[in-house]
Amino acid sequence: MRLSLKRLGQLLAQRGHAIDPKTVRRLLHKLKYSLKANRKRFTGPPHPDRDRQFRYIAHQKRRFLKAGRPVISVDTKKKELIGNFQQDGQTWCHEADEVNAYDFLSDAEGRATPYGIYLVQHDRGYVYVGESADTPEFAVDAIVSWWKSHGRRRFPDATKLLILADSGGSNGCRPRMWKRQLQERLADAFNLEVTVCHYPRGGSKWNPIEHRLFSFISINWAGKPLRSWLILLGYIQDTRTETGLQVKAVLLRGNYERGLKVTDHEMRKLRLRRHKTCPSWNYTIRPRQGVSGAAKG
């Protein structure tokens, strides 16, 4: 039961202290009480290898950056309804936009799934907006599209790629389909050695993409209804920072099916090597000789 000022007065009256709500408020303020909301702070018991993994990720980043190899941070941003819907935040204007009273998917033009790729050494963001489910196939399609259009142009001699990802979601450490897609669509297709390091549970806010890309996109469209796909893409591409961040946005069409399974036999075919340090979070997928994946064009 929420203890409102009126309810607190009633409880005090039951104990022989007749008092009105205004006096209750004054006494509470005098005692340094005030209305407060919950704070999201506790992430559960820390994993025993948490600090070890953070140190290992830092080591891998330094090693790749020193060698001039690409380092990308990836994640899926919160899904957004496309239509005349309320957007959190405020914006300068003469009159507030009037939007739908309810956020019903049936009233939306669609639901956008923005998958972000942040290129650490060049402060560049790339967001591939899907129209379907957030699946490992979608995540790898976004990375492959980035590599074909931007990655290999910036790093024409690269043979190795480091991916920093959260431990959950479509690019988490558990989904087998994520690993199989990386093998077939990225490593085999482009003869690229792919190393993946996952942040431990509760550590996603340290993933560079969160504070170097997604936070600024959210600020840029704060309080602005995303009434069409073009408007959403425009707000993403218009995102800039004083430190030089630039962002590109692409609509990634296609329908992605959930729940696709990868058998034990298929997993054994992958050329996947787990690292000695935190092997469930760190692994390298090497290209298979004589295996051709996606087209290289």
Side-chain angles (χ1 to χ4, degrees):
M1 178 186 297
R2 182 174 181 271
L3 293 178
S4 64
L5 296 177
K6 182 178 179 180
R7 181 56 181 163
L8 285 170
Q10 291 172 346
L11 293 174
L12 288 170
Q14 292 174 9
R15 290 164 173 76
H17 305 286
I19 187 171
D20 65 273
K22 291 183 179 179
T23 304
V24 173
R25 179 190 289 111
R26 181 173 55 80
L27 291 174
L28 286 172
H29 286 169
K30 187 175 181 179
L31 294 170
K32 306 300 182 183
Y33 282 90
S34 62
L35 290 173
K36 292 183 175 65
N38 296 152
R39 292 180 181 176
K40 287 187 177 181
R41 179 166 293 178
F42 302 110
T43 58
H47 193 282
D49 288 328
R50 177 187 173 91
D51 291 343
R52 186 185 182 199
Q53 177 64 2
F54 274 113
R55 289 194 296 270
Y56 190 71
I57 289 174
H59 169 71
Q60 290 295 317
K61 283 174 61 179
R62 286 194 300 269
R63 189 168 67 88
F64 270 74
L65 293 173
K66 185 177 181 179
R69 295 169 180 155
V71 179
I72 60 173
S73 167
V74 303
D75 196 16
T76 306
K77 197 180 187 304
K78 180 178 74 72
K79 293 183 178 181
E80 301 287 348
L81 288 178
I82 302 300
N84 193 36
F85 301 102
Q86 181 183 17
Q87 189 72 7
D88 291 339
Q90 297 177 322
T91 186
W92 292 103
C93 56
H94 290 293
E95 294 184 4
D97 283 311
E98 294 187 355
V99 297
N100 296 354
Y102 303 103
D103 295 343
F104 292 142
L105 180 58
S106 58
D107 295 333
E109 185 178 334
R111 183 162 59 183
T113 304
Y115 190 86
I117 298 169
Y118 177 73
L119 183 57
V120 173
Q121 55 260 74
H122 293 156
D123 197 21
R124 293 293 183 268
Y126 308 84
V127 180
Y128 293 83
V129 182
E131 306 171 296
S132 181
D134 178 23
T135 68
E137 186 182 8
F138 166 65
V140 175
D141 267 0
I143 296 172
V144 168
S145 296
W146 168 78
W147 182 252
K148 290 168 67 175
S149 300
H150 305 284
R152 64 181 177 181
R153 292 179 183 176
R154 284 185 175 270
F155 303 92
D157 300 322
T159 58
K160 298 182 179 182
L161 169 69
L162 175 61
I163 300 177
L164 308 178
D166 292 351
S167 59
S170 59
N171 52 216
C173 60
R174 287 189 172 185
R176 289 181 168 190
M177 183 58 73
W178 159 253
K179 299 178 180 67
R180 196 187 90 174
Q181 289 287 312
L182 286 177
Q183 176 75 75
E184 296 175 355
R185 304 268 288 120
L186 197 59
D188 293 345
F190 301 101
N191 196 33
L192 195 62
E193 183 178 292
V194 182
T195 295
V196 185
C197 294
H198 294 275
Y199 286 86
R201 190 189 73 171
S204 61
K205 64 182 179 181
W206 282 279
N207 194 348
I209 196 169
E210 296 293 341
H211 54 271
R212 301 293 297 276
L213 177 61
F214 285 166
S215 60
F216 295 110
I217 292 174
S218 296
I219 292 170
N220 198 43
W221 68 31
K224 302 170 183 175
L226 305 174
R227 292 192 170 99
S228 71
W229 293 94
L230 285 177
I231 289 175
L232 177 140
L233 294 172
Y235 281 136
I236 293 174
Q237 293 211 136
D238 286 344
T239 302
R240 297 285 188 274
T241 66
E242 293 181 358
T243 57
L245 172 69
Q246 296 180 23
V247 185
K248 293 185 179 296
V250 178
L251 185 60
L252 194 61
R253 298 188 181 277
N255 186 50
Y256 295 93
E257 184 179 349
R258 295 181 182 274
L260 297 178
K261 304 297 183 183
V262 177
T263 65
D264 293 342
H265 176 67
E266 290 173 318
M267 285 298 295
R268 286 193 291 271
K269 288 185 176 180
L270 305 187
R271 198 177 176 198
L272 185 150
R273 179 186 64 83
R274 295 189 179 276
H275 298 193
K276 292 181 179 179
T277 302
C278 303
S280 62
W281 288 333
N282 306 297
Y283 48 88
T284 296
I285 299 174
R286 293 187 171 91
R288 297 174 294 192
Q289 294 182 354
V291 177
S292 177
K296 296 184 181 182

